[in-house]
Amino acid sequence: MLDKQSLFISQLKDENTRERAFKKLVGDYKERLYWHIRNFVKNHEDTDDVLQNTFIKIYRHIDSFKGDSKLYTWMYRIATNESLSFLSKKAKQLSISDAELQQQLIDNLESDVYFEGNAIQLKLQKAIATLPEKQQLVFNMKYFQDLKYSEISEITDTSEGALKASYHIANKKIEAYLKTNL
Amino acid sequence: MKKRDKNTHAGFAIPENYFKTFEERLDASMFKEKSQRNKGFTVPEDYFESVEDAILKRVQFAQVPKKSKKPIFYRFAAIAAVIAIAVSVVNYQSDTTIDFDDLKMVSIESYFEDNYLDLDDEDLNALLEDCTDFSLNINEDALFEYLDNRIEDPTLLIE
């Protein structure tokens, strides 16, 4: 007998039930994936683009999903890849480095109508922007989204041990940044 | 004494499967609260309602069209037309072979600029160094003529 996820996946793959199942998928995951993407991309308009592209990709590639991982970790992985490749493309278009782009994204936050964070929250964003990409990835998923290490491990294809070490180092760096910049 | 129901405590009852689904519901509410509260990021009003429609519309455009139910005659006619065009294109191409020189520089530039080739500036510089052969013998007259045609201020050449 098929479990709940396998049944849902088979509905997504079946041409007759696909549209309905996909609608449910979008309804269930749009907010979670949105906030996941927003952590990387920072501004709303770009997040909206990446979110839509993520769902289009999920729709197009659902047939290739083999069920080795949970459906939502597979979707998170697509969203993560879409976010990172979007940022890399943006940096190339602006002819700036990834670190410079991070700085620019944070600078723009101060005038962003869709950012209502206080001084501490802005400072935290600035601290995150100083981290290497991998540490940002782990920190965002662990601190803001409270994902389990086992889930982050599936999404990033990294061992739990390495993730714990990354998160620990990221915490230390953020703590040091906040102490010296407050 | 009446045996206590396993789902009751001192007379209080709970809905069926309450504890089984508790973690799931708690995770969902914690996630929602945490993600929206901690960072200061907000979204336009009704965004999550409208984005669903936008995604579903884009997916409909991306769908593969269903099989045509047109009469078989039209299908054969279409196949015959495609073969006829393909044959004429192949014959035409056999006379005009395209080589590297036929590529316009602007096409090559846009190929790089649009990031079809995943190379950063360092990679490109390394490639350029590998490809540039400075030992070429260049005819001085040809070089002068080339520069003369392209430099706006010819006095620079004299210097």
Side-chain angles (χ1 to χ4, degrees):
Chain A
M1 194 183 150
L2 291 172
D3 62 32
K4 213 173 166 184
Q5 177 178 284
S6 306
L7 182 68
F8 187 57
I9 292 164
S10 65
Q11 287 171 347
L12 280 167
K13 290 184 178 184
D14 185 339
E15 207 178 302
N16 298 315
T17 51
R18 179 176 291 176
E19 207 170 316
R20 200 172 178 188
F22 186 72
K23 201 171 176 180
K24 180 170 166 36
L25 187 85
V26 175
D28 286 352
Y29 287 98
K30 62 187 176 187
E31 288 197 41
R32 276 184 251 189
L33 291 183
Y34 174 90
W35 291 112
H36 178 65
I37 296 165
R38 182 86 184 256
N39 278 327
F40 301 116
V41 176
K42 311 293 182 197
N43 86 57
H44 168 73
E45 282 75 21
D46 289 343
T47 304
D48 181 41
D49 281 346
V50 177
L51 179 70
Q52 293 195 29
N53 289 338
T54 298
F55 274 113
I56 300 294
K57 218 156 222 182
I58 290 167
Y59 185 85
R60 283 183 179 157
H61 296 279
I62 190 66
D63 284 330
S64 63
F65 176 67
K66 294 184 180 75
D68 300 336
S69 59
K70 285 176 190 155
L71 180 64
Y72 78 90
T73 55
W74 180 71
M75 296 199 303
Y76 264 82
R77 193 187 296 190
I78 293 176
T80 307
N81 289 341
E82 284 292 306
S83 306
L84 297 181
S85 63
F86 171 84
L87 290 176
S88 150
K89 209 168 179 178
K90 190 167 183 172
K92 278 182 186 172
Q93 277 167 355
L94 296 170
S95 301
I96 55 175
S97 69
D98 291 344
E100 286 169 330
L101 178 69
Q102 287 295 325
Q103 191 55 51
Q104 200 181 87
L105 293 174
I106 298 303
D107 291 343
N108 291 343
L109 271 185
E110 291 179 62
S111 57
D112 191 338
V113 289
Y114 295 118
F115 184 75
E116 295 175 353
N118 56 27
I120 301 286
Q121 287 166 328
L122 187 61
K123 200 73 82 182
L124 178 59
Q125 289 297 330
K126 285 180 179 173
I128 295 168
T130 63
L131 299 174
E133 187 181 82
K134 192 94 179 180
Q135 285 171 21
Q136 280 193 38
L137 200 74
V138 180
F139 187 83
N140 281 332
M141 285 195 263
K142 191 69 197 158
Y143 183 79
F144 289 126
Q145 300 187 264
D146 214 18
L147 292 173
K148 294 174 187 146
Y149 281 116
S150 57
E151 293 166 331
I152 305 173
S153 170
E154 269 192 32
I155 295 164
T156 58
D157 206 14
T158 309
S159 74
E160 286 188 40
L163 290 173
K164 283 176 189 170
S166 283
Y167 186 61
H168 178 73
I169 296 166
N171 265 324
K172 289 279 170 203
K173 283 184 184 171
I174 287 174
E175 200 182 325
Y177 180 93
L178 293 176
K179 272 182 186 167
T180 50
N181 289 281
L182 274 179
Chain B
M1 191 179 164
K2 198 179 171 185
K3 199 177 174 184
R4 187 187 287 177
D5 185 275
K6 65 176 179 180
N7 277 344
T8 62
H9 287 267
F12 295 114
I14 52 170
E16 204 179 347
N17 292 329
Y18 173 76
F19 285 117
K20 279 183 185 170
T21 58
F22 178 76
E23 279 178 27
E24 203 177 302
R25 284 180 287 113
L26 183 69
D27 275 355
S29 61
M30 274 175 67
F31 173 83
K32 202 172 181 181
E33 197 187 12
K34 198 165 189 176
S35 64
Q36 291 180 8
R37 188 191 59 196
N38 283 348
K39 293 170 302 191
F41 292 124
T42 59
V43 292
E45 212 179 328
D46 298 330
Y47 168 71
F48 287 115
E49 285 73 35
S50 61
V51 74
E52 199 167 323
D53 290 337
I55 292 165
L56 295 173
K57 265 183 201 163
R58 283 188 63 186
V59 159
Q60 278 164 3
F61 281 116
Q63 274 179 359
V64 181
K66 287 181 179 177
K67 282 182 184 174
S68 167
K69 289 178 181 172
K70 286 176 183 172
I72 201 155
F73 168 78
Y74 291 111
R75 289 197 206 169
F76 279 119
I79 291 166
V82 168
I83 291 170
I85 292 167
V87 167
S88 62
V89 167
V90 168
N91 285 339
Y92 174 74
Q93 281 184 342
S94 63
D95 297 334
T96 54
T97 313
I98 296 172
D99 60 17
F100 185 77
D101 293 334
D102 293 318
L103 276 174
K104 286 183 182 169
M105 189 50 76
V106 68
S107 308
I108 299 172
E109 282 171 2
S110 65
Y111 183 84
F112 280 91
E113 281 166 8
D114 292 342
N115 301 319
Y116 286 117
L117 203 63
D118 193 19
L119 295 175
D120 57 22
D121 292 344
E122 279 183 28
D123 296 334
L124 284 173
N125 282 336
L127 266 180
L128 193 64
E129 279 168 21
D130 289 345
C131 296
T132 311
D133 183 2
F134 291 107
S135 64
L136 283 174
N137 291 319
I138 300 168
N139 182 312
E140 277 189 16
D141 291 338
L143 179 64
F144 186 81
E145 193 184 334
Y146 176 85
L147 293 172
D148 191 32
N149 288 334
R150 280 165 177 76
I151 292 178
E152 285 177 8
D153 182 4
T155 55
L156 287 172
L157 283 178
I158 300 163
E159 290 167 10

